[in-house]
Amino acid sequence: MNASLEHDREFQTVIGLEVHVQLKTKTKLFCRCETTFGAAPNTQVCPTCLGLPGALPVMNQRAIELAIRTGLAINCSIPPITKWDRKQYFYPDLPKGYQISQFDMPICADGYLEIADPLSGDRLCRVGIIRAHLEEDAGKSMHDEAAGSGDSRIDLNRCGTPLLEIVTEPDMRSSAQAKAFLTELKLLLTHLDVSDCEMQEGSLRVDANVNLRIDVDGKWVATPIVEIKNMNSFRAVERAIDYEVNRQYLAWEETGATIDDNPKTTRGWDDQRELTFPQREKEASADYRYFPDPDLLPVRIPPEQVDQAREMLGELPAEVRTRLQTQYGIKAYDADVIVNQGPAMIAYFETAAQKSGDGKRTSSWLLQDVMRTMKERDVTIQDFAVSAQSLGDLLGRVATGALDNARARDVFARMLEQPGTVEETIAALGIKSVDSSELETLCRELLDANPQIVADIRGGKQQAIGSLVGQAKKRNPNASPQTVREILLRLVAE
Amino acid sequence: MYVSVDQTIPLDSARDLIRLQAAGQLTAVQIASASLESIQQSQASINAYTHVASESALAQAADIDRRRAAGQPLGLLAGVPVAVKDVLCTQDMPTTCASRMLQGFRPPYDATVVEKLRTADAVIVGKTNMDEFAMGASTENSAFGLTRNPWNLAYTPGGSSGGAAATVAAGSVPLSLGTDTGGSIRQPAAFCGITGMKPTYGRVSRYGLVAFASSLDQVGPMAWTVQDTALLMQAIGGYEPRDSTSLDVAHEDYVAAANAPAVKGMRIGVLRDAIEHDGLDDETRQAVNRAIEIYRDAGATIVDVSLAHSRYGVPTYYVIAPCEASSNLSRYDGAHYGYRSSSSEAAQSLMAMYCRSRDEGFGPEVKRRIMVGTYALSIGYFDAYYVKALKARRLIRQDYDAAFTDVDLLLGPVTPSPAFRLGEKVDDPIQMYLCDLYTVGANLAGIPAISIPAGQSRDELPIGIQLQAAPLHEASLLRAAAFFQTQTDYHTQRPSR
């Protein structure tokens, strides 16, 4: 419930999202033009995506495969047959005057994605997914406002790029949930390598459908649904929804208009002015005159193909998160961070953790030392100077006490600058590892030599141990203070 | 009006032209020159062409002669002049579809069938006139003037491949490429006294064929004889990866089939309902009946066949075709290529630009069909019209499937009458649509069909008959049609000069 202090009545926010994801195929959905971002205008085109007279579409099989992969990951059912329909409307960025899409037999249906409820943290909430279907993208129009010429320029490079349109149930109840959904979806889709999901590059686009259910003296009253467009980041989605929720409440207070009075309207998000503004009023519902595309054949999806795709999914991010916690004993927060960084980071962590035998320590180093360095140097984990094996080796030595934690940091720092194995670097720095029996001996000696301190410790003054630790370090600079302390305390207790 | 320029250059026989070139008695340049001269002499009165490609044709012919002299291998149609219906994309010539909307339009690519013609070393002499965007049965719906029937200039050559049929009948070329969506090869072939075949849907690539009705359109050959028809079919048929509706089946030897005329032992189904239909002209009926006897005498078994849903053919076609056309023609909006209105009104808004450009660019028949198709696909009417038509189509197909379990071929009329006068039906669209009565079935069912000359009316206008076969059974059609031409000489008759 969003019972805000500013609003008199209790109300519920109802959010559904339409997400368009550009699939990572080499070529377009119905022709073999490339889909690389950023080419000069109208250079990645051919008769088919230009909609020239006589041109014909030929389906890209890989797009079907990626759609199935995605559908399975979001728990959708994949039908045995799917087909292509023409969605017809006129606009200059749509050269054929129709978009090849899917109407009543989409390739994926009835799925869900579970997200961590941002409010309660650990509780999972399920966002239903009504359907996901394939369609070709339109081109881009740029309106040339310069010198009041009023011309529009059309770039058809993007025209024909494969999109997967994912439509959720209106299950989200807050802007935070919407953002969490998008974040998880992006993580999942990048993990599966089906899309880059970069809103800045247009490989992920979001429209939000928002309305409120207001409690009016025990009865729910629904405000008209507003479709919000033109949000260019997840943050913008969050802010746009927050703005719109407030606007709708105030609008309802003023006009009393409900969902029965108005058809769905469209508003654009203005990131600069931080508000939504009305866009071109759509006709009550545009008639797209859908019919099956006679230039394309229906697509049979045999169950074997679906089974095989399911097998090849591998571990999904949610599963990895859980497993890292149970397998390596790390905290949920740490597991989250690692998984959010992507498959390469997960692999790095696991290699290092297995080598070191100390998941917690590895995670801690990863989240601090490694990621801080990555940020400072603007490098990816794939290009990181210290390999997972090396880090694992290093941390393993710390875990056994053979290497002091602080010393380990020195080794790490040097390895960032000069390539070398852990062994080589330790030697180069003149660090000698101290084996545990040597430390035991040293500790016993110190205890024997300082009976007063032993008595103090036994009497309750734990801090007296500090001086013994200091002495130990003087005697052997390579001794890890933490390990020495542990050994001393253990010996005192005996 | 038959324009034969030089008796020693048989522009009515591709086979002879090939033989004579091989024998060194004719050059491709001689042939091309004769063809172009015949075109030039008849163009004013017949207007079969929207574009005559004199320069490129002669250059192509010269190149063929040079390569022949150098002993290089040559294609199947080397040196043979071929006319191409202006609905097919040609890179080096305009492709207008006889519409103001595409006046002067030059596509940046060749249709697959055009590529194949070039590979076969055919000499493309020009683009032929047609009903605009292939919508029509008389070639009166062209934005570039009508085409006249060489047998009688007051009559239509038929449509929409009227120009392609007329130029063969006028004696200018032995071969032309037409297209058939509801009868647009077979009906003009019948009106012009030549042979015309619509292949099985998917036999010939549609890549580069400007779409009218995607599930019905097919490119096909037109010539005087079955042998020449088969030769052109050989050159243009085959699987095409760029056309998703192309059939990946073994390439047939159409020429061999045409060279093995036979009907003995064949079961031929006679379309009794069609023949007894009271809309069928008497002389046409007689021609069909004569054909039945010819086949019976030759040892074919004749049975009566009824296609139960044939009366729904025209209404079904005239829902499905306009629906697909309304969608296929949406791309002509003035924005990207083709005609854009230069009126001041058009400059005021995007919608105005679309409306003015399409209103000015399209002719009335095209607009009529776009409106019908848009209506039939719209909410509230989609189920009652489009979906219903698809169901009727399935029933029509099933009628044919059932018939072909019993017979090898179906025999019947191809048009309700010989050619009609120019202007007679152009103001009555429904009357015009009813011309397609006997031809639409083959398009709806996707089966192959051929129209062959089978008589002449007392007005000396040609009469054709039609054979239809099961999908992929072109060989049966060609054998039986070729046989008919061994027993008759209608295909050798020519319009008077």
Side-chain angles (χ1 to χ4, degrees):
Chain A
M1 292 292 272
N2 303 96
S4 160
L5 291 171
E6 311 158 25
H7 303 120
D8 296 331
R9 300 175 192 277
E10 299 213 333
F11 65 88
Q12 213 182 35
T13 306
V14 180
I15 303 164
L17 297 177
E18 269 171 39
V19 185
H20 285 85
V21 156
Q22 188 179 315
L23 297 180
K24 274 176 86 160
T25 52
K26 272 210 289 268
T27 63
K28 295 183 178 181
L29 188 50
F30 296 108
C31 66
R32 308 287 78 88
C33 289
E34 287 193 9
T35 55
T36 343
F37 182 75
N42 295 313
T43 52
Q44 283 172 187
V45 291
C46 73
T48 296
C49 54
L50 284 173
L52 291 185
L56 291 172
V58 179
M59 186 186 82
N60 183 330
Q61 299 261 12
R62 185 95 181 110
I64 295 281
E65 288 165 19
L66 293 180
I68 292 173
R69 193 167 158 78
T70 306
L72 291 173
I74 54 178
N75 306 290
C76 287
S77 59
I78 311 291
I81 297 185
T82 188
K83 67 172 171 61
W84 300 104
D85 301 292
R86 293 188 183 179
K87 177 180 184 181
Q88 310 195 75
Y89 63 95
F90 287 91
Y91 202 68
D93 67 4
L94 195 68
K96 295 192 295 294
Y98 60 85
Q99 175 195 38
I100 302 178
S101 176
Q102 300 193 290
F103 179 48
D104 56 339
M105 292 172 66
I107 190 165
C108 310
D110 300 326
Y112 61 86
L113 188 64
E114 280 176 338
I115 58 175
D117 185 343
L119 296 174
S120 76
D122 49 349
R123 196 167 57 88
L124 282 180
C125 85
R126 185 178 277 209
V127 177
I129 287 166
I130 300 174
R131 55 183 275 156
H133 72 258
L134 284 165
E135 58 184 33
E136 52 173 355
D137 206 348
K140 267 201 249 193
S141 358
M142 281 153 280
H143 303 293
D144 192 354
E145 314 287 354
S149 67
D151 281 349
S152 291
R153 292 167 183 275
I154 314 289
D155 175 12
L156 295 174
N157 281 351
R158 200 181 67 179
C159 198
T161 303
L163 298 178
L164 189 67
E165 178 177 330
I166 301 170
V167 183
T168 76
E169 297 273 10
D171 284 348
M172 286 153 282
R173 296 283 169 266
S174 69
S175 60
Q177 276 188 6
K179 181 152 170 251
F181 174 85
L182 290 170
T183 308
E184 184 67 10
L185 184 69
K186 174 172 173 163
L187 180 67
L188 180 62
L189 265 41
T190 51
H191 177 95
L192 293 172
D193 206 27
V194 302
S195 174
D196 290 331
C197 291
E198 282 295 347
M199 284 190 84
Q200 301 307 317
E201 287 180 2
S203 53
L204 189 148
R205 314 207 276 264
V206 182
D207 296 331
N209 292 303
V210 181
N211 79 329
L212 310 180
R213 284 208 280 258
I214 304 173
D215 182 350
V216 181
D217 307 321
K219 261 183 47 176
W220 285 119
V221 172
T223 60
I225 298 176
V226 170
E227 180 185 33
I228 312 172
K229 297 176 97 76
N230 200 42
M231 300 165 288
N232 291 325
S233 64
F234 294 171
R235 187 90 185 82
V237 172
E238 207 177 11
R239 280 157 51 220
I241 292 173
D242 287 339
Y243 175 88
E244 184 56 26
V245 164
N246 193 51
R247 191 199 67 79
Q248 284 195 20
Y249 187 89
L250 295 174
W252 174 78
E253 272 199 328
E254 198 184 308
T255 70
T258 70
I259 197 172
D260 300 317
D261 301 321
N262 284 356
K264 184 159 107 170
T265 52
T266 304
R267 298 178 74 89
W269 170 249
D270 185 329
D271 214 42
Q272 302 283 51
R273 295 189 292 159
E274 299 192 20
L275 50 80
T276 62
F277 59 93
Q279 284 192 329
R280 201 171 32 98
E281 188 71 40
K282 270 188 190 159
E283 304 106 53
S285 59
D287 182 0
Y288 293 113
R289 299 191 307 286
Y290 287 99
F291 77 105
D293 194 320
D295 288 329
L296 291 164
L297 305 181
V299 183
R300 236 183 252 287
I301 304 175
E304 304 82 63
Q305 187 180 351
V306 178
D307 292 337
Q308 203 179 41
R310 193 176 280 115
E311 266 166 55
M312 287 179 45
L313 272 184
E315 231 183 350
L316 300 180
E319 293 161 355
V320 179
R321 255 185 223 120
T322 312
R323 181 174 64 78
L324 292 185
Q325 289 171 62
T326 51
Q327 187 174 344
Y328 298 98
I330 62 175
K331 295 202 301 288
Y333 176 84
D334 286 22
D336 251 7
V337 174
I338 292 169
V339 170
N340 284 357
Q341 287 289 308
M345 181 63 80
I346 296 168
Y348 188 100
F349 167 73
E350 293 210 70
T351 303
Q354 282 166 27
K355 178 94 178 127
S356 72
D358 187 341
K360 282 204 183 67
R361 190 182 301 273
T362 307
S363 169
S364 167
W365 271 68
L366 210 56
L367 265 56
Q368 290 166 55
D369 303 72
V370 174
M371 284 177 64
R372 182 182 58 232
T373 310
M374 280 166 65
K375 192 164 174 193
E376 280 164 12
R377 296 178 181 211
D378 195 23
V379 291
T380 60
I381 192 65
Q382 290 96 322
D383 299 328
F384 197 69
V386 178
S387 72
Q389 282 285 342
S390 294
L391 184 67
D393 181 357
L394 183 66
L395 296 181
R397 293 167 195 252
V398 176
T400 58
L403 185 61
D404 172 46
N405 203 45
R407 281 274 177 258
R409 289 217 149 79
D410 295 337
V411 174
F412 182 76
R414 188 181 165 96
M415 284 173 80
L416 285 174
E417 304 309 325
Q418 287 185 324
T421 64
V422 174
E423 198 65 48
E424 287 164 3
T425 312
I426 285 174
L429 287 174
I431 300 167
K432 289 187 182 32
S433 69
V434 186
D435 79 48
S436 32
S437 56
E438 223 183 295
L439 273 181
E440 278 272 328
T441 313
L442 174 58
C443 288
R444 279 188 201 280
E445 280 177 26
L446 290 171
L447 288 173
D448 290 343
N450 293 275
Q452 184 54 50
I453 293 180
V454 174
D456 287 344
I457 293 169
R458 288 205 174 122
K461 269 177 62 177
Q462 290 263 319
Q463 48 276 50
I465 212 163
S467 77
L468 288 184
V469 174
Q471 286 184 48
K473 196 105 172 95
K474 268 210 204 77
R475 287 268 287 273
N476 189 339
N478 289 317
S480 156
Q482 184 66 15
T483 317
V484 166
R485 179 183 234 96
E486 284 164 16
I487 297 173
L488 286 170
L489 283 172
R490 178 170 41 84
L491 292 176
V492 162
E494 277 171 7
Chain B
M1 172 184 187
Y2 190 76
V3 185
S4 169
V5 168
D6 179 337
Q7 303 283 34
T8 64
I9 303 182
L11 289 174
D12 60 353
S13 170
R15 200 156 67 153
D16 286 349
L17 291 175
I18 290 167
R19 183 176 50 78
L20 289 168
Q21 286 177 87
Q25 288 170 22
L26 273 183
T27 66
V29 169
Q30 283 173 320
I31 296 167
S33 307
S35 173
L36 291 166
E37 204 187 317
S38 169
I39 292 169
Q40 202 202 24
Q41 286 186 30
S42 53
Q43 181 62 6
S45 46
I46 292 179
N47 192 38
Y49 288 85
T50 53
H51 176 83
V52 181
S54 317
E55 257 182 65
S56 63
L58 288 168
Q60 170 73 338
D63 185 61
I64 290 165
D65 287 335
R66 187 189 54 72
R67 283 161 46 211
R68 188 187 296 274
Q72 288 171 18
L74 293 169
L76 192 64
L77 300 174
V80 178
V82 180
V84 174
K85 184 176 179 180
D86 205 10
V87 72
L88 288 159
C89 286
T90 45
Q91 238 178 341
D92 57 345
M93 302 175 207
T95 299
T96 69
C97 303
S99 179
R100 197 170 171 201
M101 187 58 86
L102 288 178
Q103 189 166 14
F105 175 71
R106 270 179 202 250
Y109 73 109
D110 276 340
T112 298
V113 293
V114 171
E115 280 177 359
K116 287 180 183 253
L117 284 181
R118 299 199 208 267
T119 306
D121 289 320
V123 175
I124 301 175
V125 292
K127 307 297 288 296
T128 60
N129 200 18
M130 50 186 281
D131 284 295
E132 190 180 354
F133 283 108
M135 301 183 197
S138 65
T139 313
E140 289 170 291
N141 291 321
S142 167
F144 308 124
L146 50 78
T147 297
R148 295 175 185 280
N149 192 322
W151 293 82
N152 187 324
L153 300 179
Y155 286 73
T156 172
S160 58
S161 309
T167 185
V168 171
S172 304
V173 295
L175 303 175
S176 65
L177 271 189
T179 67
D180 192 310
T181 304
S184 291
I185 284 176
R186 293 163 285 153
Q187 182 246 37
F191 282 5
C192 290
I194 66 173
T195 301
M197 183 171 84
K198 180 197 88 67
T200 306
Y201 183 82
R203 277 282 205 196
V204 179
S205 172
R206 290 189 299 118
Y207 186 75
L209 165 60
V210 179
F212 156 24
S214 317
S215 73
L216 298 160
D217 292 343
Q218 272 294 278
V219 182
M222 303 171 81
W224 288 106
T225 63
V226 172
Q227 280 79 15
D228 276 1
T229 300
L231 185 66
L232 183 51
M233 182 65 198
Q234 199 74 48
I236 63 170
Y239 172 62
E240 159 78 272
R242 292 176 294 184
D243 174 353
S244 299
T245 60
S246 176
L247 291 172
D248 191 1
V249 293
H251 202 47
E252 296 274 327
D253 191 340
Y254 304 107
V255 172
N259 286 331
V263 291
K264 193 173 165 74
M266 270 193 190
R267 287 176 66 80
I268 298 181
V270 161
L271 294 169
R272 192 50 63 191
D273 296 339
I275 294 166
E276 285 170 9
H277 190 264
D278 60 15
L280 182 64
D281 161 85
D282 273 331
E283 291 180 291
T284 306
R285 181 177 294 115
Q286 282 163 35
V288 177
N289 285 329
R290 265 200 312 272
I292 295 171
E293 292 320 309
I294 288 173
Y295 282 125
R296 198 198 308 273
D297 291 343
T301 306
I302 306 294
V303 298
D304 277 352
V305 168
S306 176
L307 299 172
H309 300 91
S310 58
R311 72 181 182 283
Y312 298 115
V314 168
T316 303
Y317 174 82
Y318 278 101
V319 169
I320 294 174
C323 284
E324 294 183 2
S326 70
S327 178
N328 287 328
L329 269 62
S330 292
R331 66 193 65 198
Y332 306 109
D333 56 7
H336 304 100
Y337 48 78
Y339 180 81
R340 183 191 288 191
S341 171
S342 51
S343 71
S344 55
E345 206 189 312
Q348 281 172 25
S349 72
L350 182 64
M351 186 61 77
M353 182 196 79
Y354 285 152
C355 292
R356 291 283 86 242
S357 301
R358 287 164 69 83
D359 184 32
E360 291 163 20
F362 287 139
E365 183 58 34
V366 169
K367 286 191 240 186
R368 208 170 276 137
R369 297 198 194 192
I370 290 175
M371 288 194 287
V372 166
T374 306
Y375 181 87
L377 286 176
S378 59
I379 289 176
Y381 301 105
F382 178 80
D383 289 319
Y385 291 109
Y386 182 71
V387 174
K388 204 62 160 208
L390 292 185
K391 292 179 180 178
R393 183 177 191 171
R394 180 171 288 282
L395 293 176
I396 290 168
R397 167 64 186 250
Q398 285 172 358
D399 287 348
Y400 279 105
D401 288 343
F404 290 124
T405 61
D406 182 37
V407 299
D408 300 299
L409 294 173
L410 293 171
L411 170 61
V414 60
T415 60
S417 69
F420 47 88
R421 283 181 175 275
L422 291 163
E424 187 179 303
K425 297 182 200 276
V426 78
D427 293 327
D428 192 342
I430 303 294
Q431 279 307 307
M432 193 71 89
Y433 297 165
L434 289 170
C435 292
D436 299 333
L437 187 55
Y438 302 119
T439 49
V440 292
N443 303 88
L444 290 169
I447 61 171
I450 193 168
S451 167
I452 47 178
Q456 233 187 49
S457 73
R458 65 184 79 89
D459 298 330
E460 287 170 16
L461 291 168
I463 296 172
I465 56 167
Q466 177 175 230
L467 289 164
Q468 300 177 78
L472 304 177
H473 282 71
E474 281 86 348
S476 306
L477 282 182
L478 292 167
R479 249 182 241 121
F483 178 81
F484 190 79
Q485 290 185 352
T486 65
Q487 304 297 302
T488 62
D489 64 356
Y490 300 112
H491 59 286
T492 65
Q493 280 157 24
R494 302 285 177 262
S496 48
R497 279 159 217 282

